[in-house]
Amino acid sequence: MSNDSPLAGQVLVVEDNPVNLNVITKLLQRFGLNPDIAKDGLEGLKAVEDKQYDLILMDIQMPKMDGYSTTQYIRQELGLNVPIIATTAHAFSGEREKCLRYGMNEYISKPIEEKELLTLIQSFTKSNKRNRDLLSTVERESVTDKFDLQYLMDIS
């Protein structure tokens, strides 16, 4: 991550789907972040045991250990209060509340919209003029407007 990034901090993405991972990584890089990657909940736990993160983007459905169990372990066993944003394709009524019950701080549905992701990340980072400028740029030049996220999700 460059020192002139408007957003600061160590970000972990826990995601098993290569297409989703690619989209999220590209968006975070556009925001000036260079995330670490874990491809399932067990890798995610290893990562948080080895390094301190300022934010975690946590997929819900993964092999080996799902996002709910991973988050519960982070909260209860490791005692960490790092902000965790659930990322899920489930748009069912009550899904956000379920994520919050399991210890996640917020929820974003897939396909992930660039502006919504940036707004969520900014809510967990220090707000400043550069953050507002970045949001303004994203509103004008959204990367996700240039390709069909649902198509990418469907073919993955």
Side-chain angles (χ1 to χ4, degrees):
M1 176 173 49
S2 68
N3 291 335
D4 63 344
S5 171
L7 299 175
Q10 298 295 315
V11 177
L12 174 65
V13 177
V14 186
E15 172 66 61
D16 66 314
N17 181 292
V19 173
N20 293 338
L21 184 57
N22 188 36
V23 170
I24 292 170
T25 301
K26 296 283 189 233
L27 291 174
L28 292 174
Q29 288 170 344
R30 176 168 158 84
F31 304 156
L33 298 168
N34 187 19
D36 290 344
I37 307 300
K39 295 190 177 167
D40 60 51
L42 293 176
E43 282 186 25
L45 289 179
K46 173 95 173 83
V48 298
E49 288 173 341
D50 292 345
K51 185 174 179 179
Q52 183 176 339
Y53 289 96
D54 299 301
L55 180 70
I56 299 172
L57 296 174
M58 179 77 68
D59 184 26
I60 297 301
Q61 291 188 312
M62 294 179 289
K64 298 182 184 175
M65 188 175 208
D66 67 23
Y68 299 120
S69 301
T70 304
T71 299
Q72 276 191 313
Y73 192 93
I74 289 169
R75 298 294 189 229
Q76 295 172 1
E77 302 300 321
L78 300 179
L80 300 176
N81 291 320
V82 57
I84 300 174
I85 299 173
T87 62
T88 180
H90 292 166
F92 304 126
S93 175
E95 187 66 29
R96 180 178 184 275
E97 291 73 19
K98 182 177 180 181
C99 291
L100 296 177
R101 273 196 318 273
Y102 275 87
M104 296 166 190
N105 298 80
E106 198 45 83
Y107 159 97
I108 187 170
S109 62
K110 297 175 189 172
I112 292 176
E113 295 292 328
E114 186 175 17
K115 181 181 174 188
E116 183 181 4
L117 179 61
L118 178 59
T119 300
L120 273 176
I121 291 171
Q122 288 178 328
S123 73
F124 293 104
T125 61
K126 189 167 61 173
S127 180
N128 59 37
K129 181 183 182 317
R130 296 184 74 199
N131 278 353
R132 290 187 299 273
D133 291 346
L134 179 59
L135 183 57
S136 177
T137 300
V138 165
E139 288 172 342
R140 284 191 320 272
E141 306 168 3
S142 178
V143 169
T144 55
D145 288 343
K146 295 176 176 56
F147 53 88
D148 184 348
L149 286 176
Q150 187 59 52
Y151 172 74
L152 290 175
M153 301 282 283
D154 291 346
I155 64 171
S156 71

